[in-house]
Amino acid sequence: IYGGWGGGQSDSHAVFSSRYIHRFEFSGGRYTPTQNPQNTMPDYLVWATSVGLAGSDADPSLDIDGDGLTNMEEYLSGFDPTDANSVFAIESMQTIDQTEEAEQIIVEWESKENRIYSINHTTNLVTGEYEVLADDIVYPQNSYTVDVNQATGFIQVDVRLK
């Protein structure tokens, strides 16, 4: 699950854009909507019960709070599937103009315990090819500084279960 994308423009200024969810990962492999949660995701079901999801509301593909993330995405990112204001996203991106050669972008998000974050980069959203700029970022860290020369294009924050 990816928290968001920020595109670097030709003048090296970062902009924030909406969330882009690309894939789901969990300890048992990739989730597909056709899998039966009872057989493949017992940890998900325990979590769903603990946050008050019951019956058909526990379906991992539903977005019961209307925030744009499915129950499964809320589970993986550590947010509340019953609160539309509780959502994984890049909270801010700001540029630091130290010098023309050393401009940097600070990416910030709300981090959660028992999650691992990585910062990825691509120049082409169509190809699906990403370069990992940083990996194994854990709570309480909730930001990463990227050199503009290192990552022109799109920045992405990825979250997975620890």
Side-chain angles (χ1 to χ4, degrees), residues 11-55:
D11 61 3
S12 298
H13 289 250
V15 296
F16 174 76
S17 63
S18 63
R19 287 182 303 280
Y20 176 75
I21 307 302
H22 180 70
R23 70 173 182 246
F24 310 121
E25 292 185 29
F26 63 102
S27 60
R30 289 183 183 224
Y31 165 75
T32 61
T34 58
Q35 290 175 324
N36 182 341
Q38 288 80 4
N39 296 334
T40 59
M41 299 177 295
D43 292 341
Y44 169 83
L45 292 175
V46 169
W47 169 84
T49 301
S50 75
V51 296
L53 298 179

Side-chain angles (χ1 to χ4, degrees), residues 49-69:
T49 301
S50 75
V51 296
L53 298 179
S56 62
D57 282 349
D59 182 331
S61 65
L62 291 180
D63 174 16
I64 64 169
D65 61 3
D67 64 4
L69 295 182

